[in-house]
Amino acid sequence: MSTTRRQVHLAAHFPGVNNTTIWSDPLHRSQIDFSAFEHFARTAERGRFDYLFLAEGLRLREHKGLIHDLDVVGRPNTLAVLTALAAVTSHIGLVGTLSATFNEPYELARQLATLDHLSNGRAGWNVVTSSDAFHGANFRRGGFLDHADRYTRAAEFVSLAKEFWDSWAPDGVVADRATGRFLAHDAIAPVTHRGAQFDVEGRFNVPRSPQGYPVIVQAGDSGDGRDFASQHAEVIFSRHSVFEEAKQFYTDVKGRLAGRGRTEDSLKILPAVTFALGDTEAEAAERAREDSLAQVGPKTAIAVLEQVWGVDLSDRDADGPLPEFDPDPEASITKGWAPRYPNAVQIAQAWRAQSEAEGLSIRELVIKVAGRQSFVGTPGQVAAEIDRYVQERASDGFVIVGTTSPHGLDEFVDRVIPELQERGVFRTEYEQGASLRRTLALPEPTEFVEEVRRVG
Amino acid sequence: MTRRTTIAIALDGAGWHPAAWRDPSARPTELFSPGYWIDLARTAERAGVDFLTIEDALGLQSSVLGGSDERTDQVRGRLDALLIASFVAPVTSRIGLVPTVTTTHTEPFHVATGLQTLDFASRGRAGWRVQVSAAAHESRHFGRRALPEFDLESERRGTSGLVRELFGEARDAVEVVRRLWDSWEDDAIIRDAATARFLDRDKLHYADFEGSHFSVKGPSITPRSPQGQPLVTVLAHQTVPYELAATSADLVYVTPHDDEQAASILAEVRDAEARVGRTGRPLSVLADLVVVLEATPELAAAALARLDAENGQPATSDALIFTGTPESLVERITAWTDLGYDGVRLRPARLTRDLEQLTDWVLPAFERADAAGTTLRERLGFERPANRYAAKETAA
C-alpha cells in the first residue's frame, strides 16, 4: 500500500463586493453579467477545483449613512445563479452563501434540493446568520434576532431542513406504469417540528436529491460558531490564513469532532487566501505591492480607519498620520459588513503604535494590516506553501480569492494548479459522476435513519 | 392590422392530466432530472414557442382543491420553478422563461433578485407568473401565519375575505418587486477611477415600501437587469384576480370554455382595467387551454378516455380541455384572436406527446418571430420601460 500524501482541496471564490476586487484593473469586466460567472465557473472546473463559491449580502453596504461606492457593488441572487451555472458545468461543486435568518426552512430546503437534483449532486450551502435590523429592513421578519440567538436559529434551521430532506424515502418515486403507482407506499413521511425558532408541520414536496443533503459549509469563528461547526458543518470557510493561527484553529476545531462521533476527515478546513504571482519572487512582490495599492487607495484607507474609529475622518490625509484620539467603542457608522473590528480601542492603539514604530502613513498602515496577499511568489513557491499547510495539518486546502472578474482565477489555474498536480497532491481529473461530497472526500451523512422517519 | 399570435406553453411535471405520467411518451422517472427540462425547453424553443411557464407551489400537488390527499397514483413533488428556469436559461437563446413564484409566505426581496438573476442568465427573457397560496396546510409549512381552511364555495363566489387578503398581498409584492427592479438606474455603475467611485450612488434608490404584510427598504442587491422590468403575468378566473392583473401585470391568462365566454371574459378584463384606472399599455390577454391532440377527433377522444380511466375518474380543470385535432385547435386559436385575444397559453395534457403535437402541427400554422437577440418584452411587443426613479428626476 503506497503512502499517498494528503490531498489538497480547493474552492474558487467569485470576486467579492469588497476592496479585494480591483475594479480599476482593465482586466476587470463585469461582476454581474452571466458571462462573467460562466467564464469563472468554466475556469475553475478546468482547474479541477472542488467547488466554486459565492458570498452573499442582503443589503447594500452603507458607510456614514450613504451607500458605499468605493468598492464593487452588485451581485446576483445566489440560488438562481448557481442553478444556471449547473447547466454550464459538469463536475465542479456549486456552493452558495444563504442566510438562515432571512429565509424559511421549507422554501430554502426545496431550493437547495432542486439545485442538487439539477446539478446531479453538486450543491453546497454556506450557512450564515445575520441578526441586525439593517439587513432586516429588506425582509418580512425584520431585524428581530438577538445576536446571541443567531446560532440557535441557524442550528435549528439546519436540523429542520435535514428533517425535510430526510422525509422522502430514497426510492420514493417508483413511476410504475403497469401498476399505476407513482409513489412508493410511505414515500413521504410527514414532518412535525415544534421548536423555539420554528413551529411547522407538513409534507415536503421535493424528492430526495442525489446527495440527500447539500454539503454544509460554515464560516463562524466564535465559540458558538465552532460548536455549530462541529455539529453540522462539513467544510469550514476559515479566516485564519497565517500558518501558526491556521494550525491552532485546525487543531482546536478538529479536536472537537471526536466528542460528536466524527472523524478528522469528516470536516475540511479551508482558509480564504489571496495570491500574487510572478516569474520571480521579486516580480511577485512587485505585483503584490501594485495590487495592495490598488485595493487600498487613499479613500479606502480612510474608510477602513473610519470603520474602526467610528467617526468621520474625511478631513485626514491618507498619506499622513493616524488619529491621536481613541475610538468611541459604541459608535458604528458602517453597516453591512461582518464585524471585523470588535475591539476598536485595542486595535486603534495597536495600529497607532505600529505606525509610529515603523513610520507608516494611514494608507501604508492599512495596507500592512488589511491589504496583504496570503501567498506571494512564483507558482512553484505558492504551490509549495499550499502543500506545506496541508501536509502539516494547518488546513485541508484553501478558498482562492482572485482580484478581478472574470479573469482573476485564470493565472492561478494556468500556473499554480499544474504545480500542485505534479506534486501529486491535487487531482488531474474529476471522478466521473462524483457528488460534491465525494469530491471533497467527505463521508456520507449518517443521519438518515429509517426508524426515525417512521416515528416522525 | 396583422398581429402575430402569442403562443405560450405551460409545463407541469409529466403533463396537465393527472394520469399523463403513464402515457407511453412520458418520462416519469426523469421529472426531477436536468436532462428532462433541457429537452422540453429546447423542443419548445425550436418550434418558435414565445415562452414557457413552469408550475410550482409551496406544497404537494393534490386531487383536492386547496387541501392535501394521500394518493400515490399521481405525480407528487416538484422542483422549484424559478430554479428550473434559471437552469435552462444558459442552454436556450430565444424562448421566454416564466416561472410561477408564489407571493404568499415568500420574501418579495428574494423574488425580485431571483427574477432579475433569471433575466441576466437568459439575457432578457425572464417573466413571472404571480401566484397566491390559499392552502392552510401550506401555511403550516412556514408556521408564521394561520390561514383558515380552504372553502371552495366562498372562493368560487369570490366573497372570501381570504381571497381579497391574499391578492392584496400579491399586489403589494408586485409593487415591491417592481420598485426593486428599478432601484438601480441603468447607468449606476460608472467605474470612475478619478474619483475612486465604482458607482454613482445618486442613481440608486430606496424602495421604501411600507405595507400591512411587509416593509422593504431596498435598494436591490442586483443591478438593473436587461429588460429593466421582466414580464409580469397573472392567471385570473374572477374579479379579484382580474383586478390584480389590471393594476399590476403586463399579461393575463384567462380560461374561457366556449366562444361566448371568450367574448365575455375579454370584456371583463377590459372593464377591470377601466375600473382600476390602468394607464399605459393594455393587458396582453391569452386564453388558456389544456390540449389533447391526435390526428382525428376520435383518436383524441379515445386518448382522453384512456387517461381518465387510468386516473379512476375524469380529469377536471379550470381551463377548457380541448380534445381534437391540431387543425381544429388552430381554428379555435384563430377564432379567439379574431375576437381580440393576443394569443393562447397551451397546457399539454401529456408530456411529451401533446407538446410534440403542438410543435409539429400547431406552431407551424402561425407566423413565428425571428427572435434571436430579442428580449421577451420585445418579442411580445412591449417596450423597455423607463426607470420610474429616473423619470421623476427628469420631470423635476
Side-chain angles (χ1 to χ4, degrees):
Chain A
M1 177 108 166
S2 66
T3 48
T4 40
R5 312 190 62 214
R6 270 167 54 86
Q7 294 295 290
V8 172
H9 292 278
L10 294 176
H13 188 316
F14 189 80
V17 297
N18 52 45
N19 71 315
T20 306
T21 304
I22 303 173
W23 57 261
S24 53
D25 187 322
L27 279 182
H28 179 89
R29 298 282 158 71
S30 168
Q31 89 293 353
I32 193 61
D33 286 341
F34 185 69
S35 58
F37 289 91
E38 193 170 349
H39 176 85
F40 176 79
R42 289 194 201 272
T43 302
E45 187 160 83
R46 180 166 65 82
R48 308 295 187 247
F49 276 69
D50 292 60
Y51 62 88
L52 60 84
F53 174 79
L54 299 184
E56 184 184 69
L58 294 176
R59 182 162 168 191
L60 298 189
R61 293 180 178 137
E62 292 184 8
H63 185 64
K64 301 191 287 189
L66 297 172
I67 291 171
H68 188 68
D69 58 2
L70 301 180
D71 299 335
V72 166
V73 187
R75 65 200 334 163
N77 173 290
T78 301
L79 284 158
V81 76
L82 286 180
T83 316
L85 288 174
V88 297
T89 54
S90 317
H91 306 285
I92 193 168
L94 305 161
V95 179
T97 300
L98 296 158
S99 168
T101 310
F102 300 117
N103 281 292
E104 296 296 326
Y106 191 94
E107 194 189 5
L108 193 61
R110 66 182 303 261
Q111 289 164 337
L112 285 163
T114 297
L115 173 61
D116 205 47
H117 275 290
L118 293 175
S119 67
N120 288 323
R122 296 184 279 136
W125 175 22
N126 179 36
V127 183
V128 295
T129 63
S130 29
S131 58
D132 57 60
F134 179 75
H135 290 94
N138 281 337
F139 298 97
R140 289 186 191 248
R141 267 203 189 277
F144 69 108
L145 201 53
D146 193 273
H147 191 72
D149 282 341
R150 67 199 203 290
Y151 277 111
T152 314
R153 177 172 167 106
E156 195 177 326
F157 194 120
V158 174
S159 292
L160 177 51
K162 288 179 175 176
E163 287 181 68
F164 285 131
W165 289 321
D166 281 337
S167 67
W168 279 65
D171 49 358
V173 175
V174 174
D176 184 344
R177 285 179 170 95
T179 60
R181 170 145 280 183
F182 183 80
L183 289 181
H185 182 60
D186 274 2
I188 313 173
V191 170
T192 304
H193 178 105
R194 309 268 177 242
Q197 298 290 326
F198 302 104
D199 183 358
V200 305
E201 66 182 22
R203 289 184 299 158
F204 196 53
N205 71 346
V206 184
R208 194 171 178 82
S209 72
Q211 291 191 112
Y213 313 147
V215 169
I216 306 289
V217 179
Q218 188 252 344
D221 208 26
S222 60
D224 280 349
R226 299 184 196 201
D227 265 344
F228 176 94
S230 68
Q231 191 187 351
H232 288 287
E234 297 171 89
V235 177
I236 294 192
F237 173 23
S238 135
R239 267 193 229 166
H240 303 285
S241 56
V242 174
F243 188 90
E244 279 313 319
E245 287 168 30
K247 198 157 163 62
Q248 262 176 32
F249 183 77
Y250 187 102
T251 308
D252 172 36
V253 172
K254 299 259 180 161
R256 301 183 190 220
L257 295 178
R260 297 278 191 185
R262 297 178 63 178
T263 61
E264 180 189 0
D265 284 342
S266 72
L267 175 66
K268 297 297 193 281
I269 299 181
L270 306 182
V273 292
T274 53
F275 61 94
L277 299 174
D279 290 337
T280 63
E281 223 176 308
E283 200 181 279
E286 200 181 300
R287 178 75 174 282
R289 174 79 185 153
E290 280 164 16
D291 281 356
S292 293
L293 286 169
Q295 288 165 338
V296 186
K299 284 190 182 177
T300 294
I302 298 290
V304 169
L305 234 56
E306 286 172 335
Q307 282 175 50
V308 173
W309 261 263
V311 296
D312 178 62
L313 295 169
S314 53
D315 58 336
R316 298 263 152 177
D317 179 5
D319 292 326
L322 272 65
E324 326 70 43
F325 54 90
D326 277 345
D328 170 4
E330 300 305 307
S332 146
I333 56 173
T334 294
K335 305 227 183 252
W337 271 275
R340 277 194 297 207
Y341 306 113
N343 316 309
V345 175
Q346 261 180 292
I347 289 168
Q349 288 172 350
W351 286 4
R352 242 204 321 273
Q354 185 173 2
S355 88
E356 275 162 24
E358 301 178 32
L360 302 172
S361 66
I362 288 175
R363 190 178 179 191
E364 290 295 344
L365 184 278
V366 172
I367 286 175
K368 252 208 164 162
V369 301
R372 288 231 292 229
Q373 293 70 21
S374 320
F375 296 136
V376 180
T378 64
Q381 287 172 325
V382 170
E385 263 303 86
I386 290 174
D387 192 7
R388 176 173 87 102
Y389 272 65
V390 172
Q391 300 317 318
E392 296 186 29
R393 287 179 159 80
S395 77
D396 293 299
F398 295 96
V399 177
I400 307 292
V401 187
T403 58
T404 62
S405 165
H407 296 287
L409 196 62
D410 296 8
E411 200 184 6
F412 190 95
V413 166
D414 292 336
R415 304 182 72 189
V416 179
I417 294 287
E419 298 274 350
L420 290 169
Q421 290 167 331
E422 218 165 301
R423 285 169 169 261
V425 297
F426 194 68
R427 68 180 64 85
T428 53
E429 292 301 335
Y430 289 103
E431 185 187 318
Q432 278 307 311
S435 66
L436 171 57
R437 190 166 278 112
R438 194 164 167 77
T439 297
L440 283 165
L442 293 166
E444 294 302 307
T446 51
E447 285 92 326
F448 176 72
V449 176
E450 278 292 323
E451 301 89 74
V452 171
R453 277 189 63 250
R454 294 288 176 262
V455 168
Chain B
M1 177 186 70
T2 46
R3 218 176 27 213
R4 210 175 56 74
T5 303
T6 298
I7 299 186
I9 288 184
L11 298 180
D12 188 14
W16 287 77
H17 195 290
W21 68 271
R22 299 176 71 175
D23 189 81
S25 74
R27 295 161 61 175
T29 58
E30 298 178 58
L31 303 184
F32 310 97
S33 77
Y36 180 69
W37 293 97
I38 290 179
D39 288 347
L40 292 178
R42 284 185 169 157
T43 300
E45 177 164 271
R46 266 196 306 271
V49 172
D50 288 303
F51 64 89
L52 293 173
T53 66
I54 303 168
E55 289 308 295
D56 203 1
L58 295 169
L60 287 166
Q61 300 94 323
S62 173
S63 53
V64 174
L65 191 59
S68 45
D69 68 18
E70 300 287 321
R71 291 181 79 146
T72 56
D73 62 334
Q74 297 179 349
V75 171
R76 292 292 179 263
R78 284 193 178 103
L79 300 179
D80 179 280
L82 177 70
L83 298 184
I84 294 176
S86 303
F87 180 70
V88 303
V91 297
T92 52
S93 57
R94 289 164 287 144
I95 196 165
L97 300 168
V98 182
T100 297
V101 186
T102 304
T103 53
T104 320
H105 314 301
T106 55
E107 290 289 354
F109 193 85
H110 292 320
V111 174
T113 62
L115 290 162
Q116 283 180 288
T117 303
L118 173 61
D119 207 39
F120 273 108
S122 65
R123 288 177 220 261
R125 293 178 284 125
W128 176 19
R129 186 176 86 72
V130 180
Q131 177 167 273
V132 304
S133 166
H137 72 276
E138 288 184 6
S139 73
R140 289 194 285 274
H141 298 162
F142 298 87
R144 293 179 45 199
R145 174 178 178 184
L147 292 188
E149 289 304 325
F150 190 80
D151 177 351
L152 184 55
E153 264 324 294
S154 59
E155 226 245 290
R156 281 231 168 94
R157 285 197 304 270
T159 57
S160 147
L162 174 64
V163 166
R164 288 209 171 272
E165 182 190 327
L166 296 177
F167 278 93
E169 182 181 15
R171 180 181 167 164
D172 285 353
V174 176
E175 175 62 18
V176 168
V177 167
R178 286 192 183 280
R179 289 190 196 184
L180 289 171
W181 286 346
D182 277 351
S183 62
W184 291 57
E185 293 184 42
D186 287 312
D187 49 353
I189 294 176
I190 54 174
R191 293 180 64 175
D192 182 27
T195 54
R197 289 179 305 147
F198 179 79
L199 52 70
D200 178 356
R201 64 164 69 99
D202 291 336
K203 295 202 183 269
L204 258 58
H205 307 274
Y206 293 106
D208 278 330
F209 181 89
E210 304 215 0
S212 51
H213 299 282
F214 40 74
S215 297
V216 178
K217 179 73 181 169
S220 179
I221 53 174
T222 308
R224 196 142 199 257
S225 73
Q227 290 186 104
Q229 294 274 324
L231 200 75
V232 178
T233 72
V234 167
L235 170 64
H237 310 99
Q238 47 175 252
T239 307
V240 168
Y242 292 142
E243 289 180 354
L244 172 67
T247 53
S248 310
D250 301 301
L251 182 152
V252 65
Y253 318 99
V254 296
T255 53
H257 284 242
D258 53 44
D259 291 342
E260 197 187 311
Q261 278 187 15
S264 66
I265 288 173
L266 197 51
E268 277 201 72
V269 169
R270 300 303 176 211
D271 280 349
E273 287 177 312
R275 205 158 51 242
V276 307
R278 181 183 174 99
T279 55
R281 197 189 192 285
L283 279 164
S284 186
V285 186
L286 302 187
D288 263 23
L289 295 163
V290 178
V291 298
V292 180
L293 301 172
E294 293 294 344
T296 70
E298 294 73 27
L299 283 172
L304 179 60
R306 194 167 52 246
L307 288 167
D308 284 344
E310 281 171 345
N311 190 41
Q313 68 211 110
T316 57
S317 175
D318 55 317
L320 171 67
I321 302 177
F322 182 96
T323 311
T325 65
E327 296 74 29
S328 57
L329 177 61
V330 171
E331 275 169 26
R332 174 73 61 127
I333 295 171
T334 308
W336 286 0
T337 54
D338 285 347
L339 274 181
Y341 281 79
D342 294 282
V344 288
R345 181 174 74 137
L346 303 170
R347 309 183 190 175
R350 300 163 292 177
L351 288 174
T352 53
R353 175 69 177 159
D354 291 303
L355 174 64
E356 283 159 7
Q357 293 288 68
L358 289 170
T359 56
D360 293 348
W361 302 110
V362 176
L363 268 296
F366 296 94
E367 181 204 332
R368 307 318 307 145
D370 171 27
T374 57
T375 65
L376 175 57
R377 293 185 71 98
E378 285 165 357
R379 189 182 181 118
L380 302 183
F382 289 76
E383 284 172 10
R384 192 173 191 277
N387 186 308
R388 72 186 64 195
Y389 299 109
K392 274 190 194 134
E393 281 174 14
T394 316

